[in-house]
Amino acid sequence: MQTEYGANLRHYNSFGLPAVAQTLVRIASDADVRRVIDHPQLGTSPKFVLGGGSNIVLTRDVPQVVLKVEVMGRQLLREQDDAWIVEAGAGEQWPAFVQWTLDQGLPGLENLSFIPGTVGASPVQNIGAYGVELQDRFDSLDAVDLRTGLTRTLGPRLCAFGYRDSVFKQALAGRTVITRVRFRLPRPWRPQLGYMELQRKLEETGFSQPEPQQVADWIGAIRRAKLPDPAVMGNAGSFFKNPVVTPEQCRDIIGRDPTVVHYPLPDGSVKLAAGWLIDACGWKGKSVGGAAVYERQALVLVNRGGAIGSEVLTLARAIQESVYGRFGIRLETEPMVV
Ligand code: EPU
C-alpha cells in the first residue's frame, strides 16, 4: 500500500481534467484494501475508487481518499470444452489485456478491442461495442467490501448488468473495490460480424472467415475513423447513453424528423442514436472553453486542451437542453460526474 498526498489526477483521467486528490492510495492487492480499512485515519474516511479514469468527469478536487486500483496479472485459468476462462487483475489496461488474449490464441474479446480504461472498470459500466457487451463474455469477479474488508466473488446475476450499467453503479456504488475479473470466452470461437461497419469490411475485403486478429484490426480502423484517441485528445468515450423510448415517443420524433436513426429492440421499445440527435441539433465542433463536441462523432465530448470539468458540464447541459427542446428527449450522461 503506497500513499501520496496532494496527488494530481490530470494523468489519471482520460479527459485530462485537472483535480487534486488530498490522499491517494495505490492498491496492489486485496490485502492493501484491508490495510486501508484498518488504518487509524484512512479507515474512517470516505473512499473514492478510481480505475482507469476513462469514464469520469472531474469537476472539483476530490476530498475522499482515492483508491487507485493497480492489481496486476493475467492468466488462462481453465480450458473447458465449451470455453476458455481467463482472469485479469483490475489494474491491467483493457486494450493491452484484449491484445494479450488474442496473442495467446484466446479469442472472444476482439470486438471490445481498444476501449480505453482498465479491466476493473469494464464490468462497472458493462462496456460494449460493435455488437458485443462485457456481459456476453463475463464469468465472475472478485470484489473487496469496503466496510468489512472481505473478498466476495460475484457471478453475472449479482452484477445485474444492464446497458452501460451494473450493480456497481447502483446498490454497490462506492462500496466495493473490484480486484480481479474472469472472462468466459466461448469455444469454438465464432466471429460477431453483425454490426453494419463490420459487414462493410467483409464486403470490401472479400473475406468470409476472418481470423480474430483480423476482426480486432477492423475494429481498430472503425474506431480510429470515428473516435478520438484519449492519448492524443482527452475524452471519456460516448458522453451520453443512447436513449430508449416507447414506440409512441419514436413516432412523435419521426414526425419531427423522419430521418432519425432508430433501432427497434426485442421488447418492443426503440433505441435512438444519441449521436444523431445531437448532430441534428448542429453541435458538432461547438465548444465551451477547452471542451468541445468531437467533429467526427457528436456523442463524444473532447478536451481540446486546457479544459476544466465545469466547461465539460456546461457544454453537456447545453446539449441536453437543445436535444430536449427539439425532440423532447432527455439525454442521460454516461460517465460519472465527480
Ligand atoms: N450518428 C450521427 N452523427 C453523429 C454520430 C452518430 O448521425 O455525430 C449516427 C450514425 O451515423 C449511426 C448512429 O448515429 O447511424 C450510431 O452511431 P455509431 O454507430 O457511431 O454508434 P453510437 O450509438 O454512437 C455506440 C456506443 C459506443 C460504441 C458504438 C459501437 C453508446 C452510448 N455508445 O455508439 O460506445 O463504440 O456504439 O458499438 O452506447 C462508449 O460507450 O463510450 C462508446 C464509445
Side-chain angles (χ1 to χ4, degrees), residues 125-146:
Q125 60 149 346
N126 185 22
I127 57 172
Y130 310 104
V132 177
E133 280 188 319
L134 177 111
Q135 66 175 347
D136 306 323
R137 301 286 181 269
F138 181 78
D139 178 72
S140 58
L141 59 77
D142 297 337
V144 188
D145 186 304
L146 273 172

Side-chain angles (χ1 to χ4, degrees), residues 130 163-164 195 226 238 240 242 273 279 284 297-298 334:
Y130 310 104
Y163 166 55
R164 295 298 189 278
Y195 197 82
K226 274 202 184 171
S238 298
F240 301 99
N242 284 329
D279 198 0
K284 264 186 190 159
Q297 159 57 295
E334 198 195 280

Side-chain angles (χ1 to χ4, degrees), residues 226-266:
K226 274 202 184 171
L227 298 169
D229 176 357
V232 179
M233 196 187 282
N235 74 89
S238 298
F239 200 89
F240 301 99
K241 291 187 185 183
N242 284 329
V244 176
V245 299
T246 63
E248 296 75 51
Q249 282 174 301
C250 189
R251 272 196 293 278
D252 169 58
I253 293 165
I254 291 172
R256 299 182 198 212
D257 190 329
T259 60
V260 61
V261 177
H262 59 287
Y263 318 92
L265 297 178

